[in-house]
Amino acid sequence: MTTASQRIPIGLKIAYTIFMAIFIPSYWASYGPTNFLYFCDVALFVTLIALWRESAALASAAAVGILIPQILWAVDFGLRVIDLAPTGMTAYMFDSNIAAFYRGLSFFHGWLPFLLIYMVWRLGYDKLGLLIWTITAEILLLISYFFLPAPPGPLRIAGQTNPPVNVNYVYGLSDAAPQTWMPETAWLAVLMIGLPILIYWPTHRVLKKWRSSTA
């Protein structure tokens, strides 16, 4: 049910909240709290707030940050099903050593971008989303580099079976070892400069133009 003052159906809000109520304790128990510093996980929390507040700015921020990466995740997963996956991005989804329950929860990578597109359609696009996400991402990159484990990292921390390493890929694209193409700080700089220019800004432009044409 949606009223004139409520642009997002209450059923969707409740369903998403139930998912988060399952997701948070489950991932905390297995991966620990630092797992929630991944861009995609932060986007989940931003989306939760955006849903209940019906905030165009927060919905836009999450969309700017994760639409391209998560659509790539969905494409990689689909291609991996037929053994044509171009990257190792979704290899863990086919790893029988990881419980099916956790892999099932991880399907949020596939449906979250479509939820955000729907939210931007319903709420409109707010250009503040670019600024909000860019600042958030820069802070997360710095935290990930200076305070979280580099690959390969410890196998277990305080009972957590899968503590995350190389959060937000601040040490390279592999969780097995840091990249060796350039100094570590140079790689960090590439991310901090490249993500806003190559990912966030183009997404911002597309969403802004799309909502301007459909408003």
Side-chain angles (χ1 to χ4, degrees), residues 56-57 59-61 63-65 67-68 116-117 119-121 123-131 199-215:
S60 300
V64 163
L67 274 187
I68 291 178
L116 288 169
I117 290 172
M119 291 173 66
V120 170
W121 173 62
L123 302 173
Y125 180 73
D126 190 325
K127 62 183 180 181
L128 283 177
L130 175 64
L131 178 63
I199 302 295
Y200 309 152
W201 175 254
T203 306
H204 158 78
R205 294 295 299 170
V206 169
L207 290 174
K208 183 179 179 182
K209 183 175 182 179
W210 169 56
R211 285 303 288 128
S212 296
S213 65
T214 58

Side-chain angles (χ1 to χ4, degrees), residues 2-3 6 16 19 24-25 50-51 60 72 88 108 127-128 130 137 141 151 166 171 173 177 180 182 187 205-206:
T2 304
T3 66
Q6 178 181 298
Y16 188 88
F19 167 78
I24 293 171
L51 273 172
S60 300
L72 290 176
F108 82 83
K127 62 183 180 181
L128 283 177
L130 175 64
L141 287 171
N166 194 26
Y171 288 96
L173 300 179
T180 56
M182 61 185 75
W187 175 263
R205 294 295 299 170
V206 169

Side-chain angles (χ1 to χ4, degrees), residues 91-156:
Y92 71 96
M93 292 293 288
F94 300 85
D95 185 350
S96 59
N97 293 317
I98 300 175
F101 173 72
Y102 294 104
R103 285 182 282 158
L105 289 176
S106 195
F107 270 117
F108 82 83
H109 293 90
W111 55 256
L112 182 59
F114 299 100
L115 172 60
L116 288 169
I117 290 172
Y118 168 77
M119 291 173 66
V120 170
W121 173 62
R122 292 292 296 174
L123 302 173
Y125 180 73
D126 190 325
K127 62 183 180 181
L128 283 177
L130 175 64
L131 178 63
I132 292 170
W133 187 265
T134 299
I135 293 174
T136 300
E138 300 293 85
I139 293 172
L140 289 172
L141 287 171
L142 292 173
I143 291 173
S144 299
Y145 180 78
F146 287 106
F147 298 104
L148 302 184
L155 296 177
R156 186 181 296 265

Side-chain angles (χ1 to χ4, degrees), residues 18-196:
I18 291 173
F19 167 78
M20 291 296 286
I22 297 171
F23 174 83
I24 293 171
S26 300
Y27 265 51
W28 187 299
S30 182
Y31 303 111
T34 57
N35 189 82
F36 300 116
L37 294 176
Y38 278 108
F39 292 149
C40 52
D41 292 77
V42 171
L44 282 173
F45 289 96
V46 173
T47 301
L48 178 64
I49 299 171
L51 273 172
W52 284 103
R53 291 179 59 87
E54 299 199 347
S55 169
L58 292 180
S60 300
V64 163
I66 63 95
L67 274 187
I68 291 178
Q70 300 298 261
I71 288 175
L72 290 176
W73 186 98
V75 170
D76 189 89
F77 179 85
L79 291 176
R80 185 165 291 277
V81 171
I82 56 176
D83 289 330
L84 292 176
T87 75
M89 185 183 298
T90 60
Y92 71 96
M93 292 293 288
F94 300 85
D95 185 350
S96 59
N97 293 317
I98 300 175
F101 173 72
Y102 294 104
R103 285 182 282 158
L105 289 176
S106 195
F107 270 117
F108 82 83
H109 293 90
W111 55 256
L112 182 59
F114 299 100
L115 172 60
L116 288 169
I117 290 172
Y118 168 77
M119 291 173 66
V120 170
W121 173 62
R122 292 292 296 174
L123 302 173
Y125 180 73
D126 190 325
K127 62 183 180 181
L128 283 177
L130 175 64
L131 178 63
I132 292 170
W133 187 265
T134 299
I135 293 174
T136 300
E138 300 293 85
I139 293 172
L140 289 172
L141 287 171
L142 292 173
I143 291 173
S144 299
Y145 180 78
F146 287 106
F147 298 104
L148 302 184
L155 296 177
R156 186 181 296 265
I157 300 177
Q160 298 158 18
T161 55
N162 299 290
V165 299
N166 194 26
V167 172
N168 295 317
Y169 303 106
V170 291
Y171 288 96
L173 300 179
S174 172
D175 288 345
Q179 59 81 29
T180 56
W181 307 340
M182 61 185 75
E184 288 182 354
T185 51
W187 175 263
L188 178 64
V190 166
L191 290 180
M192 296 185 72
I193 296 171
L195 288 175

